[in-house]
Structures are given as C-alpha cells and as structure tokens.
Amino acid sequence: MTDYILSCCSTVDLTKEHLDSRDIKYACFHYELDGKQYLDDLGQSMPLPDFYKAMADGAMTKTSQINAEEYEAYFRPFLEQGRDVIHLTLSSGISGTINSANIARDELLEEFPDRKIYIIDSLAASSGYGLLMDKLADLRDDGMDIDDLAAWAEEHRLEVNHWFFSSDLTFFIRGGRVSKAAGFIGGVLNICPLLNVSNKGELIVRDKIRTKKKVIKESLVKMQQLCKDGADYSEKVYISHSACYEDAKALAELVEAAFPKMKGKVLINDIGTTIGSHTGPGTVALYFWGKKRVD
C-alpha cells in the first residue's frame, strides 16, 4: 500500500469496478433530472441507458459541482488515516470545481499541517480524464512518490488528446455551444461537429463534417496525425459514448485495425450523467496519448 490516496471526480467516466480495481478514489458530482436530485455515482443510482432514454424523451437536466464542504468531508477520512492525497479535478475549462477543492485543501491543512494535499487541474474530461488517472495509477503502482506523481501529472496532462462528435445537436443547442440557426442547418445537412478539448481544457468545435460515417473516419485521421509514435502507438485507447454503442464500436474497430501495437483492446465506456447532461445522446469521444495540446 502506498502512503497516499490517488483521487478524482466521478466525471472520469470509468466504471466503479474499474476505479475500485485500480484503487482510485472518487468524489461525486450531482445532477437533476426533471427536478429530482441524484448523485453522479457512475450509474449506480440510475442506469445510464435509463438516463439517456429520459433525456431523449424530453427530460430536463441540470448539473452541479462538488462544493468545498463536500470536498472537506471527502478528504478528511484519508487524512485521519495518516494518508496524503493527490486529487485531480475535472477541467477548469468546463467546471469551477477546482476552486472548491482548493478551499477544502486550505481548510484541512490548517487542521492536518503534517499532511500533503495536491489539487491538480486535469484539463481533461470524461474518459480522457479517466485515461490520465489510469496512467497515474500505473506510475503509483510502479513506486512513484506523491511529489513526483503530482509533477508528472502537471507536465503530461496536455498529452491526453480528446476528439469527439455528436450526431444529435439538440443538447449542444440547448447548452449554447451551437446556435439554433447553425443547429437547424446542421440538422438539414446532416452535419456532425467534430470537437476537441483545448490546452485550456475547454470544448472547441474544430470542424463540421457531413454524415456520421465521415466523422467517424475523421476521428481516426486525427489520431493518426496526433498520437504518440504514429502507427507504432503502444499506449491505451479509450472511447466513451452516450447511448450510441454501435457508433463507438465502429470507431473502436477502425482504431484497433490501424494501431495493432496498442496496449490491449479499445476500452469503451459510457459517458456519465454530468458530461452527458450537456451532450445528450449521440456523442462519441476518442481519447489517446499524443502531441501536447497547444491551442
């Protein structure tokens, strides 16, 4: 057992079983579905297919981040056990939760002055954030101490590439990421926007591609252009999706054929309720290690 806790938010969009098997602790965001409050607890309270069906049927969603008091209650037991903590938050380009985590850290360090609490902005989201956490778990398991792990995370976090598309612009329009006019035209022309996460951790539309088949192929092209070691890529690849498994599977098959040296098969995950509240059904995201994001 290491002398520190590796921790994240539930917005890593990995399964509870995966996080438990890697000994990665997590704090839960919150969401509302038609006014009823739930924990974003990796699909434990509500199966994700039920969540996306409700959205498709017109249910309204709202999300809320973890507040300082919740972080303090979450971190405290680890410190009382004499353990240090390294916690990576959901990207500050998407959520302000890092501010709450920093407030909780400052309060707790007054009470536990001999302990270390690292709060690090992942600048990542969904299973890209999960891919980063999985790598940190590997390094921890190989014996890296908490100080070096924190430094490694800050140095390499921008190497996690996120590319994603949506075949349903309804919820991007509702969230203001796509205008109503552009969304209408996109629907008529069957346009699927291709987005990524910038070096500031923000979601940016990079291209507008007609038809889902073409945007799936373009996602592969982005990986071929940007991934670590090109065709010899040997790291893990994650894909997440919101109620469109067949689209995720189609992309995974292309990736596995193009990168025969990758570590294992592509791991396909569900987009969780926090991120999914903003994307809605029909989004597929590809995550891999590659060139450092510069814009």
Side-chain angles (χ1 to χ4, degrees):
M1 179 182 289
T2 60
D3 60 353
Y4 62 89
I5 297 292
L6 179 59
S7 172
C8 60
C9 306
S10 58
T11 45
V12 289
D13 291 350
L14 299 175
T15 65
K16 179 181 186 301
E17 293 75 19
H18 186 121
L19 293 176
D20 288 347
S21 71
R22 298 310 314 271
D23 193 22
I24 300 172
K25 309 303 182 186
Y26 60 94
C28 294
F29 269 59
H30 313 264
Y31 69 97
E32 291 183 11
L33 189 66
D34 275 346
K36 185 176 179 180
Q37 295 189 356
Y38 298 88
L39 274 182
D40 176 9
D41 56 4
L42 312 178
Q44 302 300 298
S45 297
M46 176 181 292
L48 290 167
D50 293 350
F51 171 76
Y52 286 115
K53 183 179 186 304
M55 288 190 77
D57 290 342
M60 299 299 293
T61 58
K62 183 180 179 180
T63 61
S64 58
Q65 65 192 33
I66 305 162
N67 64 38
E69 292 76 17
E70 290 171 316
Y71 272 123
E72 191 170 334
Y74 169 70
F75 292 140
R76 181 180 299 278
F78 304 138
L79 304 174
E80 290 175 342
Q81 295 166 14
R83 312 286 294 281
D84 296 326
V85 176
I86 176 172
H87 179 84
L88 277 78
T89 67
L90 176 63
S91 172
S92 61
I94 296 173
S95 168
T97 196
I98 190 170
N99 298 319
S100 298
N102 281 330
I103 290 169
R105 176 202 59 199
D106 294 346
E107 288 288 332
L108 288 166
L109 286 178
E110 291 185 10
E111 186 177 346
F112 298 92
D114 296 330
R115 298 266 59 84
K116 296 177 181 178
I117 308 174
Y118 283 101
I119 304 297
I120 297 173
D121 186 348
S122 73
L123 295 174
S126 193
S127 299
Y129 179 13
L131 184 63
L132 175 59
M133 294 305 302
D134 222 35
K135 183 68 172 183
L136 296 179
D138 289 339
L139 296 170
R140 175 205 60 197
D141 293 348
D142 287 341
M144 187 175 286
D145 66 31
I146 190 171
D147 302 314
D148 289 340
L149 192 69
W152 194 97
E154 292 191 332
E155 173 63 25
H156 295 278
R157 59 190 170 180
L158 290 178
E159 294 169 16
V160 179
N161 283 234
H162 310 54
W163 287 92
F164 58 104
F165 64 87
S166 178
S167 57
D168 184 348
L169 299 180
T170 303
F171 297 91
F172 286 85
I173 296 168
R174 182 182 295 176
R177 296 200 175 276
V178 176
S179 70
K180 288 183 179 180
F184 175 76
I185 294 171
V188 170
L189 298 178
N190 199 18
I191 289 175
C192 299
L194 182 64
L195 306 89
N196 81 341
V197 174
S198 73
N199 63 330
K200 296 180 180 178
E202 300 171 336
L203 308 185
I204 306 291
V205 176
R206 299 296 187 181
D207 207 348
K208 298 173 183 176
I209 299 172
R210 291 188 68 177
T211 78
K212 183 163 57 179
K213 185 176 181 180
K214 288 181 180 178
V215 79
I216 288 173
K217 289 183 178 178
E218 184 60 25
S219 298
L220 174 67
V221 169
K222 292 299 185 186
M223 181 169 176
Q224 290 171 322
Q225 293 172 339
L226 298 170
C227 72
K228 180 180 178 181
D229 299 324
D232 291 327
Y233 182 84
S234 59
E235 300 280 354
K236 296 177 182 177
V237 178
Y238 287 174
I239 289 175
S240 60
H241 71 97
S242 53
C244 49
Y245 175 78
E246 292 303 319
D247 296 338
K249 182 180 177 184
L251 178 55
E253 289 173 350
L254 291 178
V255 169
E256 288 170 359
F259 300 98
K261 296 181 181 179
M262 63 177 287
K263 189 173 182 179
K265 295 288 188 179
V266 173
L267 180 64
I268 300 177
N269 302 290
D270 290 301
I271 294 175
T273 52
T274 296
I275 305 298
S277 290
H278 302 282
T279 69
T283 295
V284 175
L286 172 66
Y287 314 98
F288 55 88
W289 289 96
K291 294 179 181 178
K292 187 169 286 191
R293 290 176 268 149
V294 295
D295 63 0

